[in-house]
Amino acid sequence: MAVRPTPVRRAVRPSGQGHPEGVLPLQQSRLDAGSSLSERDGPRDECGVFGICAPGHEGSRLSYFALYALQHRGQESAGIAAADLGGQIVTRRELGLVSQVFGEHDLRTLAGDLAIGHVRYSTTGSNAWENSQPVQRSEGTHGSRRELALAHNGNLINAVQLHNELLERGVTFSSTSDSEIIAALIATHPAERIEDAIAEVLPRLRGAFSIVAMTKDRVLAFRDPHGLRPLALGVLDSHNGGRPGVGHASGSDDTAETVAGNAGELSARKRAEPGAGEGVGSGVHYCVASESCAFDIIGARHLRDVEPGELVTLGPDGLHSRIVLPDARRAFCVFEYIYFARPDSRMNGQALQVARGRMGEILWREAPVEADLVIAVPDSGNAAARGLARASGIPQDDGFVKNRYVARTFIQPGQELRKHGLRLKFNPLPEVIAGRRLVVVDDSIVRGNTTRQIVQMLRDAGAREVHMRISAPPIKHPCHYGIDMSTREEMIAHGRTTEEVAAELGCDSLHYLSLAGVYEAVGAGAGGRQSHCDACFSGEYPLDGTGEANGKYALEEPAGIPLPLVQA
Ligand code: SF4
């Protein structure tokens, strides 16, 4: 039986003073992994980040609500770092949901104009307090001290090398997180300006990273040059209920510092960004978030996505932008559209609810079937099921009632209840299902355990036929860019044909949306593969050195070497 540690409230710890023995071996980390009642039989290990510079506002309270909107990206820990302009950074982070970690008292303690926040979800790494974020580090001597808090979504594929290098320099760590490696590289860099330190460090990082960081006087956000994980830029206008009007646009070219690439594009965009260059009292404040749904909840407006390779600085003098890494092959995670992101978020100009509906329409076009009723696996299949029903003309109904309060539980069901398994989450409605030929829509299958149980529950409830339609291609390869997808061997589609998977699941037919169908649905068309990552479907990893990362990881467990492998 997996026993999860009970969240314990702890005081903020000073960082940068960790001890090597504090680094947890991976085997120990995995004692925490897995739960038979985990929310989904799907990919995991997402994180959500948020940052805001809003003099005159409660940065931590805005962060709290933004993290609330990003809770789906990480449910194991939550944290906020905050500071008054020029003051001390205070961080609170803890295991648990945002609503469990923060109370009114915590938000008052975290008062300040600047804040960054993080939610974390990691089942393969330790969910210990040490790996929660934001990471806070303080480096240097009194005269040249750099204090930094940092929150990260993604995964470095060269974390081991960087970690070893830092250890040789005498840098100590208090976590097993690759995020702390990034924080340590920046905090220990000799450059006077934090922007220059980041610009020097970024080319050394390989892998996926969307990062928010803060010093005592600014918030910084940057994204890997491939744009693997999302990062959006928003604007909060206190004069206009968070909806700045055109009249506020007053940016000037000198707010855009551009050292390489895309100079014209960014300068042109800056001219259109409201309040660019405006300072304290302008009423226009900027924020960054993993997803645009975080802006909606705080009354901010989504301006655009942070560009791959771009560093944006949100300070009292407004917004500054700088491309710090040259153009690279774009590789936005196509699974964000299908699965990870909230349907009310917008990414690359796409409203995800709409894109997922189109996936259902294309699913029908690719694999029509004689049927009486369309049902979704709630909630993951809802949007695609609606699209499929629309395209097919087949009626849609709820085949399951979902218990929305069963998520990750500390209490395991025990042997007697275990046989009822998934009924704790989904209860089928025999009155809707019995005697019907069903098209059942979901957004992905990884190991197949959940889908197998769903098919069986539907048959037990009297379904005549069960035709599974999945709005993603078969998942056959692990992700090395921040998502836990089980091992290849655990993936039901690995080494099996679709017909063999259907037989394993016990359904009458099975169709996975084609990759071409995915790209059509998200408006990326035939050229979509050149600007996205689809490696978990295709096995074609877009970043050089990904295979090398596999080798490094393969060395860890047998040796029991404590390495920084927890993904953010
Ligand atoms: Fe996304 Fe899959 Fe690529 Fe990972 S491997 S970044 S989950 S598309």
Side-chain angles (χ1 to χ4, degrees):
M1 181 188 300
V3 179
R4 291 181 166 275
T6 305
V8 176
R9 292 195 159 227
R10 298 187 200 199
V12 175
R13 286 185 183 182
S15 297
Q17 300 167 17
H19 304 287
E21 62 268 27
V23 180
L24 299 175
L26 198 58
Q27 290 95 327
Q28 184 179 338
S29 307
R30 287 194 171 156
L31 292 175
D32 301 324
S35 161
S36 61
L37 280 178
S38 62
E39 174 70 4
R40 302 198 44 193
D41 171 31
R44 300 191 187 106
D45 269 10
E46 271 285 88
C47 291
V49 296
F50 178 77
I52 189 162
C53 175
H57 292 256
E58 287 182 89
S60 61
R61 194 171 298 271
L62 292 169
S63 299
Y64 172 86
F65 285 102
L67 293 181
Y68 222 94
L70 297 173
Q71 186 75 83
H72 61 288
R73 295 184 76 87
Q75 295 157 29
E76 289 193 350
S77 70
I80 294 174
D84 274 319
L85 273 171
Q88 288 290 313
I89 299 175
V90 178
T91 301
R92 166 152 176 75
R93 53 195 174 113
E94 192 50 271
L95 301 180
L97 301 171
V98 176
S99 58
Q100 295 168 322
V101 170
F102 297 102
E104 187 62 40
H105 174 75
D106 300 304
L107 295 183
R108 289 207 184 112
T109 308
L110 289 164
D113 307 308
L114 314 165
I116 65 171
H118 187 263
V119 287
R120 178 164 181 268
Y121 192 176
S122 172
T123 53
T124 54
S126 164
N127 69 350
W129 179 87
E130 286 76 5
N131 288 325
S132 58
Q133 295 188 36
V135 175
Q136 188 175 337
R137 290 192 70 100
S138 186
E139 306 280 351
T141 55
H142 188 66
S144 60
R145 195 157 193 81
R146 173 166 288 151
E147 198 165 349
L148 175 80
L150 180 143
H152 169 215
N153 173 205
N155 183 49
L156 297 186
I157 57 177
N158 62 336
V160 174
Q161 297 95 309
L162 296 172
H163 185 253
N164 289 341
E165 179 197 307
L166 285 163
L167 285 179
E168 279 170 23
R169 280 170 42 194
V171 176
T172 58
F173 292 89
S174 56
S175 74
T176 53
S177 158
D178 57 359
S179 312
E180 194 180 7
I181 295 172
I182 303 169
L185 283 167
I186 297 169
T188 57
H189 196 279
E192 197 176 316
R193 296 179 69 228
I194 182 85
E195 288 87 347
D196 296 332
I198 292 171
E200 294 279 326
V201 166
L202 249 59
R204 308 211 49 219
L205 308 179
R206 286 185 17 232
F209 51 90
S210 283
I211 292 174
V212 293
M214 66 179 286
T215 60
K216 60 186 182 181
D217 59 5
R218 66 193 80 178
V219 168
L220 306 113
F222 47 97
R223 200 170 168 208
D224 69 72
H226 311 283
L228 272 150
R229 306 254 73 86
L231 193 61
L233 177 66
V235 63
L236 178 79
D237 186 340
S238 54
H239 296 334
N240 196 20
R243 307 270 165 196
V246 176
H248 286 282
S250 62
S252 60
D253 288 348
D254 64 4
T255 61
E257 307 168 42
T258 304
V259 293
N262 287 357
E265 186 193 330
L266 271 180
S267 292
R269 185 188 299 116
K270 293 277 317 148
R271 279 191 287 276
E273 281 171 358
E278 291 185 3
V280 178
S282 68
V284 177
H285 308 297
Y286 291 92
C287 45
V288 285
S290 293
E291 294 183 32
S292 62
C293 63
F295 301 144
D296 297 336
I297 199 170
I298 61 167
R301 182 167 66 91
H302 182 201
L303 275 181
R304 63 173 174 90
D305 294 331
V306 174
E307 294 290 328
E310 182 184 7
L311 164 65
V312 294
T313 306
L314 321 180
D317 58 344
L319 171 71
H320 295 252
S321 166
R322 172 173 173 179
I323 293 290
V324 292
L325 289 170
D327 262 352
R329 188 250 199 242
R330 299 285 168 99
F332 183 69
C333 169
V334 79
F335 223 158
E336 290 278 354
Y337 302 113
I338 299 167
Y339 178 97
F340 296 123
R342 248 172 65 156
D344 53 342
S345 287
R346 303 181 71 85
M347 288 181 175
N348 297 323
Q350 295 292 313
L352 299 193
Q353 173 84 350
V354 176
R356 289 172 190 174
R358 278 199 296 267
M359 289 172 196
E361 292 171 6
I362 298 167
L363 259 180
W364 176 254
R365 192 182 74 205
E366 291 184 350
V369 63
E370 287 284 326
D372 306 310
L373 190 68
V374 176
I375 67 169
V377 175
D379 294 317
S380 47
N382 287 353
R386 272 192 292 276
L388 190 147
R390 199 162 51 232
S392 65
I394 299 172
Q396 186 190 358
D397 205 341
D398 296 331
F400 294 99
V401 170
K402 182 180 179 184
N403 183 340
R404 298 183 190 282
Y405 303 97
V406 176
R408 304 180 68 78
T409 174
F410 292 100
I411 297 176
Q412 297 301 303
Q415 215 46 48
E416 187 183 350
L417 285 174
R418 199 177 292 276
K419 61 177 180 282
H420 300 301
L422 214 56
R423 275 178 194 273
L424 287 162
K425 289 190 280 188
F426 303 124
N427 203 16
L429 290 164
E431 293 76 9
V432 174
I433 292 163
R436 302 291 188 83
R437 297 170 299 174
L438 303 176
V439 181
V440 184
V441 184
D442 203 355
D443 63 1
S444 58
I445 304 176
V446 184
R447 287 168 299 171
N449 299 338
T450 301
T451 311
R452 192 181 294 112
Q453 289 182 64
I454 281 171
V455 172
Q456 190 57 51
M457 279 197 292
L458 292 170
R459 293 214 187 276
D460 292 346
R464 223 168 98 204
E465 293 175 14
V466 179
H467 301 279
M468 292 300 307
R469 295 294 180 268
I470 306 301
S471 60
I475 298 169
K476 298 181 176 179
H477 307 275
C479 174
H480 299 289
Y481 309 131
I483 309 299
D484 172 29
M485 295 225 178
S486 306
T487 63
R488 250 187 210 97
E489 293 65 35
E490 289 170 328
M491 295 170 178
I492 193 168
H494 181 74
R496 290 188 178 88
T497 64
T498 300
E499 292 70 28
E500 288 168 342
V501 175
E504 283 278 328
L505 298 175
C507 54
D508 295 280
S509 76
L510 167 68
H511 179 75
Y512 292 99
L513 185 61
S514 66
L515 255 185
V518 172
Y519 285 118
E520 180 187 340
V522 303
R529 293 205 65 202
Q530 277 69 60
S531 55
H532 289 78
C533 173
D534 54 34
C536 49
F537 308 121
S538 66
E540 295 166 24
Y541 293 92
L543 272 60
D544 292 342
T546 304
E548 182 191 323
N550 290 343
K552 293 285 184 188
Y553 290 135
L555 289 175
E556 295 153 12
E557 287 188 274
I561 301 167
L563 291 172
L565 291 165
V566 178
Q567 299 167 346

